[in-house]
């Protein structure tokens, strides 16, 4: 099963950018790709994760697993994001033991979202 790592590429992290300057979110996305994406992880750039006041953000999700949103990131955190994504991919339910998470995933979690559960169809 493939895990999706969503990276907000429109994030400006509170910076005023010059003409043609890459957003911090695009720099984070590029640094993650350069760091090497683990097997079973798909990196998807997205236009907004609605965590604008929390700096650059990423989200990890997979069917049947808990999902997470992490913030206050920069391109300097790419290796830790990749390590966290690998740990998440290895956890069958998405719940990585706290001590096994990179420090940024311990301290910079913005949200934890339960797995989507299919509801039984209503009887007619």
């Amino acid at each position: 099963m493939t895990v999706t790592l969503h990276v907000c590429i429109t994030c400006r992290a509170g910076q005023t950018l010059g003409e043609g300057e890459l957003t911090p979110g695009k720099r984070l996305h590029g640094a993650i790709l350069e760091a090497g994406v683990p097997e079973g992880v798909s990196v998807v750039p997205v236009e907004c994760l609605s965590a604008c006041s929390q700096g650059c953000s990423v989200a990890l999700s997979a069917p049947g697993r808990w999902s997470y949103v992490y913030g206050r990131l920069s391109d300097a955190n790419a290796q830790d994001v990749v390590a966290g994504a690998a740990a998440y991919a290895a956890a069958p339910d998405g719940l990585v033991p706290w001590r096994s998470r990179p420090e940024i995933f311990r301290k910079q979690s913005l949200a934890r979202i339960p797995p989507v559960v299919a509801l039984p169809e209503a009887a007619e």
Side-chain angles (χ1 to χ4, degrees), residues 1-6 37-44 60-65 85 88-91:
M1 173 187 316
T2 300
V3 164
T4 304
L5 173 62
H6 304 273
V37 179
E39 187 173 325
V41 177
S42 175
V43 178
V44 177
L60 280 166
S61 62
R65 297 182 188 204
Y88 179 83

Side-chain angles (χ1 to χ4, degrees), residues 77-120:
N77 301 121
Q79 289 288 347
D80 285 335
V81 171
V82 167
Y88 179 83
D93 55 5
L95 297 172
V96 177
W98 192 81
R99 291 178 191 230
S100 298
R101 300 175 195 169
E103 187 173 348
I104 62 167
F105 278 20
R106 286 187 232 148
K107 296 185 175 185
Q108 294 168 218
S109 177
L110 303 180
R112 183 176 110 154
I113 304 156
V116 174
V117 177
L119 298 175

Side-chain angles (χ1 to χ4, degrees), residues 7-9 29 50 75 79 91-92:
V7 182
C8 178
I9 60 169
H29 178 257
S50 290
D75 52 332
Q79 289 288 347

Side-chain angles (χ1 to χ4, degrees), residues 4-69:
T4 304
L5 173 62
H6 304 273
V7 182
C8 178
I9 60 169
T10 55
C11 180
R12 294 176 176 262
Q15 299 176 13
T16 302
L17 302 176
E19 184 69 32
E21 189 175 351
L22 288 179
T23 63
K26 283 185 182 176
R27 290 195 306 266
L28 173 60
H29 178 257
I32 289 169
L33 295 176
E34 285 179 22
V37 179
E39 187 173 325
V41 177
S42 175
V43 178
V44 177
V46 294
E47 297 229 348
C48 187
L49 289 173
S50 290
C52 303
S53 66
Q54 297 295 322
C56 293
S57 58
V58 300
L60 280 166
S61 62
R65 297 182 188 204
W66 284 81
S67 298
Y68 292 87
V69 179

